[in-house]
């Protein structure tokens, strides 16, 4: 059973949206490490204060800052999980494999989107302050949250400024992209073209799940 699933892909490729859909479909718990860090920053916890220094500059946080959080979270989810944003480096992938409570993922969904498309998406991305729902100005032009019964205020993430995005994309190219080869050689990579509408991306993902394999 494919129950240890990770999403790989550049900022704004849609991995947040797709991981939420898949978690709901498979009834698996989901952890988004970027969202976890942003919540810690908003709550001004010691971890948040430390992470803020890196996120402001568009840099990944040090592996040591994130690994225990993910280790502890997965240890309480013996039936499986979906991770959006971890591992993001080869060192994190190796650590994961060696940690008994985590183990190597048995399905890696790698999403690709050209950088010029990502830039237009980043400029349009909006998130709700109250419920964290993510939308964009292409599909919704209001200033309050479109989720039913919410009505929270929408905002553009600080790290979605173009300079910050470009730095994050550079970090992604040098630190995360090598993971495509790493997991391809382990036969766990499902490569998906993220440059399509969200429903088409999701049906491509589901097709692979329905055929009970995750090998490209
Ligand atoms: P995006 O996919 O748009 O870059 P995320 O919400 O996934 O956004 O992550 C936001 C930021 O959180 C990253 O740019 C990075 O600084 C930090 N982060 C999240 N997960 C990790 C991780 N596994 N290792 C290092 N930094 C991380």
């Amino acid at each position: 059973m494919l129950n240890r699933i990770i999403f790989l892909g550049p900022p704004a490729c849609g991995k947040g949206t797709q991981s939420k859909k898949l978690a709901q479909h498979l009834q698996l718990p989901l952890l988004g490490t970027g969202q976890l860090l942003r919540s810690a920053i908003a709550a001004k916890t010691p971890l948040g204060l430390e992470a803020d220094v890196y996120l402001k500059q568009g840099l990944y946080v040090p592996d040591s800052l994130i690994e225990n959080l993910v280790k502890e979270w997965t240890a309480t989810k013996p039936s499986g999980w979906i991770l959006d944003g971890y591992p993001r480096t080869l060192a994190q992938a190796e650590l994961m494999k060696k940690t008994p409570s985590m183990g190597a993922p048995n399905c890696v969904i790698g999403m690709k989107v050209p950088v010029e498309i990502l830039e237009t998406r980043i400029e349009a991305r909006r998130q709700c302050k109250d419920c964290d729902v993510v939308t964009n100005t292409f599909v919704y032009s209001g200033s309050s949250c479109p989720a039913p019964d919410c009505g929270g205020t929408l905002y553009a993430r600080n790290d979605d400024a173009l300079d910050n995005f470009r730095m994050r994309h550079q970090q992604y190219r040098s630190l995360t992209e090598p993971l495509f080869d790493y997991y391809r050689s382990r036969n766990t990579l499902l490569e998906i073209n993220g440059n399509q509408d969200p429903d088409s991306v999701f049906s491509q993902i589901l097709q692979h799940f329905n055929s009970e394999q995750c090998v490209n």
Side-chain angles (χ1 to χ4, degrees):
M1 188 198 172
L2 301 175
N3 63 348
R4 295 193 312 278
I5 302 161
I6 68 166
F7 277 79
L8 288 180
C13 70
K15 55 189 191 304
T17 305
Q18 299 300 327
S19 57
K20 274 184 206 134
K21 279 173 177 281
L22 191 61
Q24 203 169 21
H25 182 81
L26 299 175
Q27 290 292 296
L28 282 174
L30 168 69
L31 179 68
T33 49
Q35 191 53 46
L36 187 77
L37 293 173
R38 279 190 294 282
S39 303
I41 291 171
K44 295 192 166 57
T45 66
L47 171 88
L49 294 175
E50 208 182 324
D52 196 29
V53 177
Y54 297 93
L55 267 78
K56 270 194 178 126
Q57 300 175 72
L59 299 173
Y60 285 0
V61 301
D63 293 343
S64 58
L65 208 149
I66 194 98
E67 62 197 22
N68 279 335
L69 291 173
V70 184
K71 225 190 266 184
E72 282 164 21
W73 185 85
T74 50
T76 62
K77 312 283 181 294
S79 323
W81 33 256
I82 299 182
L83 298 176
D84 162 18
Y86 192 96
R88 243 179 168 96
T89 63
L90 282 169
Q92 291 177 7
E94 280 292 301
L95 179 90
M96 203 173 170
K97 196 175 67 175
K98 283 190 242 141
T99 306
S101 63
M102 297 163 98
N106 55 13
C107 181
V108 177
I109 300 172
M111 299 177 59
K112 292 211 164 156
V113 177
V115 67
E116 56 281 6
I117 304 288
L118 295 172
E119 290 198 357
T120 60
R121 288 190 188 179
I122 279 283
E123 286 182 311
R125 180 154 72 179
R126 298 289 181 273
Q127 187 159 350
C128 176
K129 274 195 173 130
D130 290 349
C131 73
D132 294 329
V133 100
V134 179
T135 181
N136 65 67
T137 56
F138 301 130
V139 297
Y140 180 74
S141 58
S143 57
S144 54
C145 180
D149 304 325
C150 179
T153 309
L154 292 180
Y155 72 105
R157 271 166 49 181
N158 287 341
D159 64 351
D160 279 350
L162 211 49
D163 283 358
N164 188 300
F165 163 77
R166 287 184 176 148
M167 177 57 84
R168 271 191 289 154
H169 195 259
Q170 244 178 51
Q171 293 259 286
Y172 166 77
R173 291 294 302 274
S174 58
L175 298 171
T176 308
E177 224 168 46
L179 291 176
F180 277 74
D181 281 343
Y182 178 90
Y183 287 120
R184 190 178 292 117
S185 69
R186 285 160 177 78
N187 283 340
T188 39
L189 181 69
L190 164 63
E191 210 167 312
I192 295 280
N193 170 17
N195 192 14
Q196 313 172 69
D197 67 87
D199 288 344
S200 308
V201 174
F202 191 57
S203 60
Q204 235 182 299
I205 293 175
L206 282 190
Q207 229 175 311
H208 280 259
F209 272 83
N210 292 339
S211 66
E212 274 282 3
Q213 53 178 319
C214 199
V215 180
N216 213 11

